[in-house]
Amino acid sequence: MAIVNGYKQNENENSLDILNLDQLEKQAKEIIPTGGFGYISGGSEDEWTLRANRQAFTHKQIVPRALTNIEKPELDTNVFGLPLKTPVFMVPAAAQGLAHVKGEVDTAKGVAAVGGLMAQSTYSSTSIADTAAAGNGAPQFFQLYMSDDWDFNEALLDEAKAAGVKGIILTVDATVDGYREADIINNFQFPIPMANLTKYSEGDGQGKGIAEIYASAAQKIGPDDIARIADYTDLPVIVKGIESPEDALYAIGAGAAGIYVSNHGGRQLNGGPASFDVLEDVAKAVNGKVPIIFDSGVRRGSDVFKALASGADLVGIGRPVIYGLALGGAEGVQSVFEHLDHELEIIMQLAGTKTIEDVKKAKLLNLHY
Ligand SMILES: Cc1cc2nc3c(=O)[nH]c(=O)nc-3n(C[C@H](O)[C@H](O)[C@H](O)COP(=O)(O)O)c2cc1C
């Protein structure tokens, strides 16, 4: 156990025997310090949207198909020209040093081991270059929290490009921090420096609360900002935090190369819809113009299937990976993806879908319980 500024960081490096991803939360709670666990697990206000993210997957059903003559479903896919071994990817998530002493470096190793994609957060515990190097050539995206300071934005975009990152995710749904009560109760302050902030002009994040961290991000964001970032970088710019067809079309009009449907895992606007409940409408508006990424509440192979069949090209998981990191480091992260991929393979076989392209064409039933 390493101790930084009084915060105990886990050092486990072992594979995990996983029954299901929900179970990981209970196990991780035992070993992640209270403040860190509250920050990772919590949602905003009374967490209605956080819970809705899970329940929404019951709003659609998968049609069992038995007479399709298929076996051994294949999870390979290709998104943004990147060949991937799984459509499940690691979302951008801040401060993974809260879960494990190696932070994002171990996450990158675990994701690379399954041939998946990882997104790095602006507020990572480890630097862009170190996390990219740990991926050892595996594809990564860099997520930008846009600052009012364009020198800061451009420095991060340059560093991401130099590190070989394949795409930029611009997060637009966190212009203020959601009202997260766990952080207030725990008086949570980030105990571990944030590598990208340390390097540039904004202090290192350590000792600050979430509101102070977000205060350095821009509050006023519009299509012109997307256009400016897309002009600056030659990497594809994917806009994250889209929950309405209108915003999706604004983003594409401004030059977005991808739309990322997410409600930030129920951490921002409480009272908004589950991310899965808006996916289909956003996908209809996007109409195949650019790829769609989806996250929030995905815990089962059947959830991944339903998201792909509702318009997503890539499906992200957040908290379960952080829990896997805490419990087993890089190998723990690998176990999380292997488990979800295994569940997805079972569902694909039972739904008569051999490939991810077949899943995307599958028709779901719309029966509300
Ligand atoms: C601890 C934590 C930190 C996060 N940090 C970021 C971040 O820095 N940037 C970002 O765009 N999203 C961030 N998110 C949101 C995730 O990218 C993603 O939308 C969410 O985790 C998906 O929901 P899930 O955790 O239910 O899978 C964070 C989520 C968590 C749980």
Side-chain angles (χ1 to χ4, degrees), residues 292-314:
I292 294 181
I293 300 183
F294 171 82
D295 77 25
S296 294
V298 174
R299 298 292 180 269
R300 289 287 186 182
S302 53
D303 303 339
V304 177
F305 187 104
K306 289 175 185 179
L308 292 168
S310 302
D313 296 287
L314 274 176

Side-chain angles (χ1 to χ4, degrees), residues 39-40 91-94 121 143 145 171 240 262 264-265 267 295-297 299 317-319 322:
Y39 170 71
I40 295 163
V91 302
S121 162
Q143 175 265 327
Y145 275 129
T171 297
K240 175 173 188 272
S262 167
H264 220 106
R267 296 162 74 80
D295 77 25
S296 294
R299 298 292 180 269
I317 49 172
R319 295 178 182 88
I322 304 174

Side-chain angles (χ1 to χ4, degrees), residues 163-174:
V165 156
K166 305 290 185 210
I168 300 298
I169 295 173
L170 174 67
T171 297
V172 295
D173 66 354

Side-chain angles (χ1 to χ4, degrees), residues 40-62:
I40 295 163
S41 61
S44 48
E45 290 187 357
D46 56 12
E47 302 187 333
W48 189 92
T49 298
L50 175 75
R51 287 189 295 279
N53 279 341
R54 292 291 306 119
Q55 285 154 8
F57 289 104
T58 66
H59 295 163
K60 290 193 181 181
Q61 290 86 45
I62 302 164

Side-chain angles (χ1 to χ4, degrees), residues 124-209:
S124 291
S125 305
T126 61
S127 73
I128 298 175
D130 286 351
T131 310
N136 201 16
Q140 293 186 0
F141 286 167
F142 174 71
Q143 175 265 327
L144 180 69
Y145 275 129
M146 203 187 87
S147 168
D148 288 327
D149 175 351
W150 279 86
D151 289 344
F152 176 76
N153 297 331
E154 291 177 5
L156 289 180
L157 292 172
D158 290 348
E159 194 182 342
K161 171 84 183 162
V165 156
K166 305 290 185 210
I168 300 298
I169 295 173
L170 174 67
T171 297
V172 295
D173 66 354
T175 50
V176 293
D177 61 310
Y179 186 77
R180 300 183 204 152
E181 293 185 4
D183 294 341
I184 297 168
I185 293 165
N186 295 327
N187 190 20
F188 179 67
Q189 314 264 303
F190 288 100
I192 300 156
M194 295 174 173
N196 298 323
L197 303 192
T198 309
K199 206 158 163 196
Y200 300 104
S201 55
E202 309 198 5
D204 67 3
Q206 186 198 304
K208 291 187 181 174

